[in-house]
Amino acid sequence: MQSEKDEKRAHHGIHIEVKQVDQAAHFSLGRELDPEEALRVRRKIDRHILPMMCGAVQFMDKTTLGNSAIRETDTHLTANEYPIRSNWLGTVFYVSYLVFEYPQNLGLQRFPVGKWMSINIFCWGIALCAHAACKDFGQLFAVRFIMGMCEGSITAGFMIVTSMFYTHREQSQRVGYWFLMNGSAQMISGFLSFGVLHIHKSALHPWQWFMIITGILTLILAVFYWILFPDSPANAWFLTLEERKIAVERIKVNQTGIGNKQFKWEQVVECLKEPKTWLFAMLYPCHNSNIPNSLTNQKSIIVNGFGFSVLQTTLLGCVDGSIEIITIFTGVTLAARYKNSIAWVAIIYFVPNILGSILVSTLPAHNKVGLLCSYWTIGVGTTGFVLSLSWVTAVTAGHTKRITMNAIMLCAYCIGNIVGPQMWQARFSPRNRVPWGIISACNFICPFILYAIRTILSNENKRRDAEAETQSNDSEGLYIEEILADGTKVERKVDKAFLDLTDVQNRDFRYVL
């Protein structure tokens, strides 16, 4: 245990500038971490953060276009124009997402995470309500562009916050928990869509009511984020000072810290040079939630094309959400239960995807039940995307490197979503065998990329284990100088985990597999 007197004593170790180290360096617990205390603090974090991160309204906003795709609109688009224009409305969302993704990540590093996200959610809600006032394609195009711009902060912000508050073993489950709420959003959205379809005596069309209701819910969520969502463990309003220190000490095992406001170009360069960066970048466009994510905007049209009525199609959309909840929950639970199993679990969950996408294009057209079940089977692979989100966060250290990695991954995600909607063209109807063939190929490629990433990281872990046997610990004697309120200079020893080192620089870092 290090006393304050010890901290004020002169040292002859290596001195580091305060701005170079992680924020966690200023929250030393000064004693061994009690497991029971750590568990109590983690449960308190869960109670306050997870309900806010569930984001059901946020995903429901993204599916509004898909839920209104089979309804009559008042935007002067003919029945033949709507599917084509809908593709472009889905595409422009992700073009904007792509353009603003890195600036959004820089904003998340520079400004308080909770406040930055709340501003974006508020702008998103205004844009969503504005859909109801749109009278032509150009106006719809504009509001979708604004929504894409704001969306860039959400997933990246959740990934950053998850890495701040949770250990690597906990991150997969927590990412799964807030992502599986997308399934709940689909169910809520389906029932809400069914309800507004029964509004007949109103100056507004049902789809306009749908946009207004989801927009208002989003605006309310933005206010809650501004007031209640924490920026980091260092200033979480629901934790006492001692609990904040425990929260920081808990995540020391990650060797990643909680954040650093200084932008470091050397970490950007390192990220760009790493093979794992580009393997993950190849994985994201092919994932079930990217090129195949065009199904989000097309799903109502596809299911309606199987021969179901508008009302039946709307209600059947609720099943998509149920499947997503069950598969994500089971997938992240397995990954958390078995050490270093993220890649294997993700690979296994791609098998139903491959089977389902093949069956949809090969079963006879009159087999409505078989086509519908095959379509639902494709939703199982969303678990692979969720696990890869947590995996990227767990294998990247250094705050600038992490935001760069997140930006690259989400830009790749956008590219897949930009390309995806353009597959659904009238010339491929009614069976759409070309789009389904592309989706099958994407689902087939993903397991091989996952295996390649795991092999590279596993080999690097083995190299570092061999180094550890022959080299001495170089983390001794690292100090920062702080100035107290009374002007006294204090030298504080800093743990290597809180030096804002990258996963390459910190040889004590071990990759989660």
Side-chain angles (χ1 to χ4, degrees):
M1 186 182 298
Q2 189 176 30
S3 66
E4 184 177 341
K5 183 177 180 180
D6 291 331
E7 290 176 352
K8 293 183 179 180
R9 190 180 300 154
H11 292 286
H12 301 288
I14 300 172
H15 288 71
I16 304 165
E17 293 184 55
V18 173
K19 65 181 181 179
Q20 293 287 341
V21 302
D22 192 272
Q23 295 172 11
H26 306 286
F27 283 82
S28 174
L29 186 60
R31 58 179 172 81
E32 289 294 323
L33 181 63
D34 181 4
E36 290 188 3
E37 277 188 324
L39 180 60
R40 177 180 59 81
V41 170
R42 194 203 72 189
R43 287 173 175 167
K44 192 172 184 180
I45 291 170
D46 282 342
R47 288 196 302 271
H48 287 84
I49 290 184
L50 284 181
M52 297 289 291
M53 292 177 69
C54 285
V57 173
Q58 199 67 19
F59 184 79
M60 187 162 61
D61 295 346
K62 286 197 287 185
T63 61
T64 49
L65 186 64
N67 285 320
S68 60
I70 58 171
R71 300 188 210 118
E72 178 186 0
T73 63
D74 191 31
T75 52
H76 305 293
L77 299 179
T78 66
N80 292 329
E81 286 180 325
Y82 193 87
I84 299 172
R85 295 296 179 91
S86 178
N87 289 347
W88 279 108
L89 292 176
T91 294
V92 71
F93 178 93
Y94 289 101
V95 169
S96 177
Y97 194 149
L98 174 65
V99 171
F100 288 96
E101 182 54 41
Y102 200 61
Q104 285 282 18
N105 273 270
L106 292 177
L108 288 167
Q109 181 184 28
R110 180 66 181 85
F111 304 108
V113 175
K115 303 300 184 290
W116 184 259
M117 290 176 65
S118 67
I119 291 171
N120 278 277
I121 294 172
F122 188 81
C123 294
W124 177 304
I126 293 174
L128 193 61
C129 289
H131 277 70
C134 293
K135 299 298 182 182
D136 55 42
F137 174 74
Q139 293 173 357
L140 284 172
F141 192 92
V143 292
R144 294 296 294 178
F145 186 88
I146 293 171
M147 288 178 66
M149 176 180 66
C150 298
E151 166 70 7
S153 69
I154 306 304
T155 302
F158 282 177
M159 291 167 69
I160 290 172
V161 170
T162 302
S163 68
M164 285 180 179
F165 282 91
Y166 296 103
T167 66
H168 287 159
R169 289 294 297 273
E170 298 164 350
Q171 284 173 18
S172 293
Q173 277 189 301
R174 271 60 189 183
V175 171
Y177 291 159
W178 56 256
F179 204 95
L180 68 78
M181 291 307 295
N182 293 347
S184 299
Q186 291 183 57
M187 295 173 67
I188 296 169
S189 181
F191 286 120
L192 182 59
S193 301
F194 183 79
V196 298
L197 281 172
H198 291 82
I199 299 176
H200 301 297
K201 297 180 180 179
S202 172
L204 299 177
H205 290 269
W207 73 272
Q208 291 174 307
W209 277 114
F210 186 78
M211 297 294 185
I212 291 171
I213 292 169
T214 53
I216 291 173
L217 291 174
T218 303
L219 292 173
I220 294 171
L221 181 68
V223 174
F224 278 104
Y225 261 72
W226 181 271
I227 298 171
L228 301 175
F229 199 76
D231 301 311
S232 82
N235 63 3
W237 63 270
F238 54 86
L239 298 177
T240 66
L241 179 59
E242 183 70 7
E243 288 172 338
R244 292 174 188 176
K245 292 180 179 180
I246 293 171
V248 169
E249 191 71 19
R250 259 180 27 85
I251 56 93
K252 184 191 291 186
V253 66
N254 292 353
Q255 297 286 320
T256 58
I258 61 174
N260 184 289
K261 298 299 182 184
Q262 185 180 21
F263 187 83
K264 301 177 180 180
W265 276 109
E266 66 274 15
Q267 293 192 9
V268 176
V269 173
E270 180 183 304
C271 184
L272 296 176
K273 287 182 176 180
E274 278 199 284
K276 82 169 187 285
T277 300
W278 302 110
L279 283 171
F280 273 117
M282 288 171 59
L283 178 68
Y284 271 49
C286 295
H287 243 302
N288 186 59
S289 295
N290 301 297
I291 286 180
N293 193 41
S294 55
L295 294 173
T296 298
N297 291 330
Q298 295 290 333
K299 64 180 182 180
S300 296
I301 297 173
I302 292 168
V303 175
N304 188 234
F306 289 160
F308 295 95
S309 69
V310 171
L311 288 175
Q312 288 172 333
T313 298
T314 302
L315 285 177
L316 287 171
C318 300
V319 180
D320 298 46
S322 302
I323 292 171
E324 189 166 324
I325 290 172
I326 294 169
T327 56
I328 291 176
F329 181 80
T330 56
V332 298
T333 301
L334 288 171
R337 180 181 293 266
Y338 301 103
K339 187 177 181 181
N340 289 330
S341 63
I342 290 179
W344 298 129
V345 174
I347 288 171
I348 291 170
Y349 273 71
F350 267 106
V351 175
N353 264 42
I354 297 169
L355 180 62
S357 57
I358 292 173
L359 289 175
V360 166
S361 59
T362 56
L363 287 175
H366 61 80
N367 189 353
K368 290 199 298 182
V369 175
L371 289 170
L372 188 61
C373 291
S374 300
Y375 167 75
W376 282 334
T377 303
I378 297 170
V380 174
T382 305
T383 303
F385 178 67
V386 173
L387 290 172
S388 68
L389 281 177
S390 63
W391 200 14
V392 166
T393 301
V395 299
T396 308
H399 202 64
T400 301
K401 183 177 180 180
R402 190 183 298 135
I403 65 137
T404 302
M405 186 73 157
N406 289 347
I408 292 172
M409 297 309 102
L410 292 173
C411 283
Y413 162 89
C414 291
I415 291 170
N417 280 287
I418 289 169
V419 173
Q422 303 308 315
M423 301 186 302
W424 303 94
Q425 299 181 22
R427 57 181 171 152
F428 300 135
S429 297
R431 294 305 304 271
N432 294 301
R433 284 191 169 89
V434 171
W436 286 117
I438 294 172
I439 289 173
S440 298
C442 289
N443 289 329
F444 186 77
I445 291 169
C446 285
F448 292 98
I449 299 176
L450 288 164
Y451 180 75
I453 295 171
R454 192 186 193 282
T455 301
I456 290 172
L457 299 182
S458 177
N459 289 339
E460 179 60 25
N461 281 347
K462 291 174 183 177
R463 277 193 291 272
R464 296 188 182 192
D465 290 341
E467 288 176 7
E469 294 176 0
T470 58
Q471 296 179 3
S472 59
N473 191 341
D474 62 351
S475 63
E476 299 296 330
L478 300 170
Y479 298 91
I480 58 171
E481 186 178 86
E482 295 181 325
I483 301 177
L484 302 179
D486 60 2
T488 305
K489 291 184 178 180
V490 175
E491 287 185 338
R492 186 186 300 277
K493 187 176 179 180
V494 182
D495 192 283
K496 189 176 182 179
F498 300 143
L499 293 179
D500 194 36
L501 299 176
T502 68
D503 51 283
V504 173
Q505 294 169 335
N506 184 357
R507 306 309 290 177
D508 291 339
F509 186 95
R510 293 296 181 272
Y511 293 102
V512 177
L513 305 175

